[in-house]
Amino acid sequence: MSKNLLITGASSGIGKAVALEFAKRDGSKNHLILVARNQTKLELVAEEARKLGAEVTTLTADLGKTAEIAKVFTALEKNFPTLDLVFNNAGLGFVKESYMLGDDEVEQIIDVNVKGMILVGKKAAAIMVKQGHGHIIFTSSLAGYVLLPKWSVYCASKWGITAFANVLRQEVLKFGVKVTTVHPGPVKTEFFDSNKANVDLSASEKSMPAIPVGDVSAAIYGIAYTDKKRIFCPPSLSVAAEAFRLFPKFMEKMFAKLVK
Ligand SMILES: NC(=O)c1ccc[n+]([C@@H]2O[C@H](COP(=O)([O-])OP(=O)(O)OC[C@H]3O[C@@H](n4cnc5c(N)ncnc54)[C@H](OP(=O)(O)O)[C@@H]3O)[C@@H](O)[C@H]2O)c1
């Protein structure tokens, strides 16, 4: 029987790459359930994944809205007997000083990156605890470990979701359910488009170059269904995260230099 994989934020970037990675590697062994707001972009990803052999269902939803998340789970419970893997990934960021952020921008980051991910995570966990297996993978960020000027609310969201995932892991372990957090540094995706986060990556390009999205999707495929607690992309960033914990003052200065 094929495995059912829910992937949020599947219309572009890391979510899209993960959908295509599972389609490419496993073909018809997976039924991919792809969620995002943009139906046209989701259908394009679905078409590509179907060509690679995967079965695909698309669900359009704004994951910043509680009622729309509930609808996604109603559809899941109605149509799929199991939920084997959830890539809880949809997210966004606006990058500017805290005092320059609009109230609506703060609200969007918190609604999608924190509230939305928590609701998806806990609803998926309820299904998986009942069925006695499953894996939930959360896209956090390097910003879930370090602090960067201009990224205050984004950092808060990613520290928050990392904390949630780490507690959830302890709660569901005894039911055979696994939880992993993924911590990428800069990745070449639409996240940095001028109509989205609008970040100039050139300041950090030398010390922390943006990696291709395929590196992240390959890493995520590699840890699916394992009990890996967290991964950094690239793996060398674990050193930066640990250094930040041990030498916060020094590392704060270093990271501040990376942000223009
Ligand atoms: N790129 C990086 O450097 C980087 C680094 C670390 C962590 N991350 C994290 O990686 C995740 C994916 O980002 P990405 O880089 O792939 O960016 P992206 O290309 O902009 O993709 C973001 C995805 O999230 C979806 N999304 C955003 N708001 C949504 C909402 N309200 N409801 C439903 N879906 C929503 C988007 O779909 P629609 O617009 O169609 O809704 C899109 O599919 C995010 O959690 C981000 O914080 C990214």
Side-chain angles (χ1 to χ4, degrees):
M1 206 169 70
S2 64
K3 286 198 161 81
N4 298 315
L5 277 64
L6 173 72
I7 300 174
T8 73
S11 63
S12 74
I14 298 171
K16 172 183 173 180
V18 166
L20 297 178
E21 189 82 40
F22 277 91
K24 189 173 72 190
R25 305 249 207 157
D26 293 344
S28 62
K29 284 188 202 154
N30 292 320
H31 191 132
L32 306 175
I33 305 138
L34 309 181
V35 185
R37 289 166 304 179
N38 190 318
Q39 177 68 18
T40 311
K41 285 172 78 180
L42 265 187
E43 281 307 332
L44 288 174
V45 179
E47 217 172 283
E48 226 178 303
R50 284 187 194 110
K51 279 187 193 148
L52 293 164
E55 276 183 79
V56 187
T57 297
T58 58
L59 297 172
T60 313
D62 182 341
L63 298 171
K65 299 197 170 129
T66 306
E68 297 204 17
I69 295 170
K71 270 192 205 158
V72 167
F73 277 85
T74 304
L76 282 176
E77 290 179 51
K78 205 168 143 199
N79 298 305
F80 299 93
T82 60
L83 186 56
D84 299 288
L85 187 135
V86 172
F87 183 44
N88 195 0
N89 162 77
L92 72 154
F94 298 103
V95 181
K96 47 186 120 163
E97 287 82 354
S98 312
Y99 49 85
M100 299 295 288
L101 280 166
D103 293 354
D104 58 322
E105 292 175 327
V106 173
E107 213 163 68
Q108 276 187 65
I109 298 172
I110 299 302
D111 282 355
V112 182
N113 297 13
V114 184
K115 184 187 80 177
M117 273 206 189
I118 288 177
L119 291 179
V120 169
K122 73 138 188 130
K123 284 173 187 290
I127 295 172
M128 290 176 178
V129 161
K130 216 164 151 191
Q131 72 193 13
H133 76 274
H135 189 179
I136 309 172
I137 303 175
F138 289 79
T139 307
S140 177
S141 170
L142 179 62
Y145 264 87
V146 307
L147 300 169
L148 293 154
K150 297 191 183 176
W151 292 78
S152 59
V153 178
Y154 186 77
C155 283
S157 76
K158 293 301 186 181
W159 280 63
I161 202 61
T162 303
F164 173 78
N166 286 335
V167 176
L168 181 68
R169 180 186 307 110
Q170 297 174 48
E171 295 170 343
V172 297
L173 183 68
K174 59 180 176 287
F175 299 102
V177 180
K178 302 170 194 325
V179 176
T180 305
T181 54
V182 178
H183 302 269
V187 185
K188 288 176 195 153
T189 69
E190 291 86 329
F191 184 95
F192 295 106
D193 283 2
S194 56
N195 63 338
K196 289 191 175 177
N198 200 12
V199 182
D200 176 7
L201 282 174
S202 61
S204 60
E205 193 54 36
K206 267 194 185 149
S207 42
M208 204 187 290
I211 60 172
V213 72
D215 289 7
V216 182
S217 58
I220 289 166
Y221 182 86
I223 55 91
Y225 308 112
T226 72
D227 47 18
K228 193 90 182 156
K229 287 184 180 162
R230 67 190 61 82
I231 57 164
F232 289 84
C233 303
S236 57
L237 286 183
S238 63
V239 178
E242 185 60 9
F244 200 93
R245 202 177 62 79
L246 295 172
F247 313 107
K249 269 192 189 164
F250 174 74
M251 292 303 285
E252 258 180 36
K253 279 187 196 155
M254 288 253 305
F255 274 106
K257 281 186 198 156
L258 298 180
V259 186
K260 259 189 184 166

